[in-house]
Amino acid sequence: MNDAVHHGEALRRGEASRSASEQLRRNPDSFARMFSAANAKFLHYMVSISGVAREDRVLDVACGPGACTLAFAERCRRAVGLDTSGELVARARDEAVRRGAGNVAFIKGEVERMAFGDGAFDAAVCRFAFHHFTNPDRVFAEMARVVGPRGWMVVADVTASEDPARAALHNELERLCDPTHARTLAASEFERIFAAHGFHVALKIARKSRSSVEEWTSFGPAPPENIPAIRAMLEDAVDDDRPGLALQRDAGTIRLIHTSVSFVLERAG
Amino acid sequence: MAVSQELLDILACPKCKGGLRVTDQQDGLICDACHLLYPIKDDIPIMLIEEAQALK
């Protein structure tokens, strides 16, 4: 099976973490960042805005190496991390053992077909994974199913422009930077999905992350063969900011700003 | 380490969403309705239908 076919198959199954596994192979250090001080700060903020209660059972969807699951576990009764990558959930389990976290479990399974009963959790969280899902609506439907009647969620992800042409170019750039990227959604698309499954936005916080093209392409990192194309596209788009990333020339480089949004959701009605 | 009762209470067969029971050796979860065995490897339940073992 060639890589493209394999990739297509992985995406068809909504396997966010196949891509995470590919990232891990490309750059093992990139996952150290999941437990970095910067990410710890973001996770602290995610936990704080969630309003998580001591008695809550929390599901972390597409948990990767478990940093978010473990952050919630410190504040709730039980946290469960779900991911399709056996490699990543094994790392997550090792980290839980290292920390002596006894109220955490990790499950290898599909995000589009979750192995949990209806209303099994009080809450579901998902940190920077929706852009890897080929069918975000189906994943969210599963989150809504496994969260109980008074359930809440926190969904955090990068968002795209509300203008479809800008969003399309943004996504083209993201796919060059990370070939396993599915699609970054606009904030309004997230909100439509939430509403369709009976959740309303209780709190919505946008966060701007600035980077140079060099910093952005080293994060994944981008496949080296794609970097010339990324640079050429940015050069071509910088003057009128066609991908909607607040592109700016600065001291020999191009700077961009990604907008991530954290949505705190409650069941409507 | 066995799967805790609390975890067993929230887990379900990904195919039929029905309840599961632990194998006698505590090394897998069985869905009697679908006749599938989901292995538990190194404390991690593998809840993928395509990696489940069909039971006679």
Side-chain angles (χ1 to χ4, degrees), chain A residues 13 57 77-78 80 89-90 93 105-110 113-117 120-121 142 145, chain B residues 4 6-7 9-15 17 20 41-51:
Chain A
R13 294 168 54 201
R57 295 160 303 172
R77 172 152 63 102
R78 172 166 283 277
V80 175
V89 288
R93 180 223 36 224
F106 292 97
I107 310 293
K108 181 181 172 185
E110 284 190 50
R113 209 150 43 161
M114 294 186 189
F116 305 111
F121 295 92
E142 277 291 85
R145 180 183 68 79
Chain B
S4 71
E6 194 179 1
L7 186 58
D9 288 345
I10 59 175
L11 281 171
C13 171
K15 192 173 179 185
K17 312 297 183 194
L20 301 162
K41 290 183 185 158
D42 301 323
D43 295 340
I44 297 172
I46 314 295
M47 305 306 295
L48 293 168
I49 296 165
E50 62 270 35
E51 290 187 29

Side-chain angles (χ1 to χ4, degrees), chain B:
Chain B
M1 194 179 75
V3 168
S4 71
Q5 185 60 45
E6 194 179 1
L7 186 58
L8 191 60
D9 288 345
I10 59 175
L11 281 171
C13 171
K15 192 173 179 185
C16 72
K17 312 297 183 194
L20 301 162
R21 63 182 171 87
V22 186
T23 57
D24 293 342
Q25 291 77 31
Q26 310 258 314
D27 59 354
L29 297 163
I30 292 171
C31 173
D32 288 314
C34 298
H35 305 287
L36 288 173
L37 167 68
Y38 298 96
I40 300 172
K41 290 183 185 158
D42 301 323
D43 295 340
I44 297 172
I46 314 295
M47 305 306 295
L48 293 168
I49 296 165
E50 62 270 35
E51 290 187 29
Q53 187 189 321
L55 298 174
K56 297 271 187 308

Side-chain angles (χ1 to χ4, degrees), chain A:
Chain A
M1 188 185 288
N2 70 37
D3 284 351
V5 171
H6 180 80
H7 177 228
E9 174 68 11
L11 291 180
R12 187 187 63 72
R13 294 168 54 201
E15 294 189 359
S17 288
R18 278 288 165 82
S19 59
S21 296
E22 284 173 30
Q23 272 193 335
L24 188 64
R25 274 191 290 279
R26 286 212 305 272
N27 181 5
D29 293 339
S30 66
F31 276 81
R33 279 196 216 104
M34 291 295 283
F35 292 98
S36 69
N39 192 46
K41 191 173 174 184
F42 184 82
L43 290 172
H44 177 72
Y45 148 83
M46 225 173 129
V47 171
S48 303
I49 61 171
S50 74
V52 61
R54 275 282 166 210
E55 64 273 19
D56 284 347
R57 295 160 303 172
V58 178
L59 171 66
D60 181 13
V61 175
C63 66
C68 183
T69 324
L70 289 163
F72 274 92
E74 289 175 11
R75 298 278 297 276
C76 71
R77 172 152 63 102
R78 172 166 283 277
V80 175
L82 170 68
D83 205 289
T84 49
S85 163
E87 198 175 350
L88 293 178
V89 288
R91 282 183 165 228
R93 180 223 36 224
D94 291 347
E95 182 64 18
V97 170
R98 197 186 67 76
R99 294 188 190 189
N103 62 337
V104 187
F106 292 97
I107 310 293
K108 181 181 172 185
E110 284 190 50
V111 293
E112 288 187 10
R113 209 150 43 161
M114 294 186 189
F116 305 111
D118 296 357
F121 295 92
D122 302 294
V125 299
C126 186
R127 180 201 165 283
F128 293 114
F130 262 80
H131 63 272
H132 284 301
F133 302 150
T134 45
N135 195 332
D137 184 80
R138 197 177 301 166
V139 177
F140 191 81
E142 277 291 85
M143 292 169 73
R145 180 183 68 79
V146 302
V147 164
R150 285 185 302 280
W152 55 266
M153 300 196 202
V154 181
V155 174
D157 204 0
V158 173
T159 54
S161 168
E162 294 292 338
D163 174 65
R166 287 183 196 275
L169 188 59
H170 175 181
N171 274 297
E172 205 177 320
L173 283 160
E174 295 288 357
R175 277 189 285 271
L176 282 168
C177 199
D178 172 6
T180 62
H181 177 92
R183 194 166 75 86
T184 293
L185 305 178
S188 63
E189 289 180 277
F190 274 108
E191 290 174 29
R192 275 199 296 279
I193 292 172
F194 302 152
H197 297 284
F199 277 80
H200 75 88
V201 177
L203 187 65
K204 176 181 171 184
I205 300 175
R207 184 171 182 270
K208 306 278 183 184
S209 307
R210 295 169 170 278
S211 56
S212 64
V213 59
E214 291 78 16
E215 288 164 339
W216 176 55
T217 53
S218 66
F219 192 78
E225 65 275 18
N226 287 356
I227 290 179
I230 293 170
R231 285 188 170 278
M233 281 175 70
L234 287 172
E235 276 295 336
D236 190 45
V238 65
D239 292 332
D240 47 2
D241 185 30
R242 282 195 288 118
L245 289 165
L247 298 182
Q248 274 193 326
R249 287 185 202 281
D250 179 34
T253 187
I254 293 175
R255 295 197 172 276
L256 45 149
I257 298 179
H258 280 85
T259 304
S260 60
V261 176
S262 298
F263 298 95
V264 179
L265 309 173
E266 292 172 355
R267 227 181 250 287

